[in-house]
Amino acid sequence: MSGREQLHDLRQQAHKAGIEGNSKMTERDLRKALNKVDKGMSPQQAKQQVKR
């Protein structure tokens, strides 16, 4: 899978997880936010923490 495909897949996962506005997030930030959501954090809180 190419880097673009991986990023697209991560964005889809983030969308399904409820992380809104993820199109401007980097691959690294998406992975961190998804990890936080998987551990029980709210999607918006995870996004805010990652963007700091």
Side-chain angles (χ1 to χ4, degrees):
M1 186 181 296
S2 74
R4 277 186 113 138
E5 290 170 332
Q6 285 180 343
L7 185 57
H8 179 71
D9 186 50
L10 280 172
R11 292 196 194 291
Q12 286 183 325
Q13 288 178 41
H15 179 74
K16 288 178 186 175
I19 301 172
E20 297 179 13
N22 69 59
S23 64
K24 294 181 181 179
M25 295 174 72
T26 66
E27 179 179 353
R28 182 178 181 203
D29 288 347
L30 285 166
R31 289 185 191 280
K32 284 183 179 179
L34 284 167
N35 189 2
K36 289 179 182 289
V37 170
D38 286 344
K39 292 181 178 179
M41 187 177 284
S42 77
Q44 288 308 109
Q45 189 177 10
K47 179 182 174 183
Q48 287 175 351
Q49 280 194 2
V50 167
K51 290 183 82 177
R52 286 186 200 173

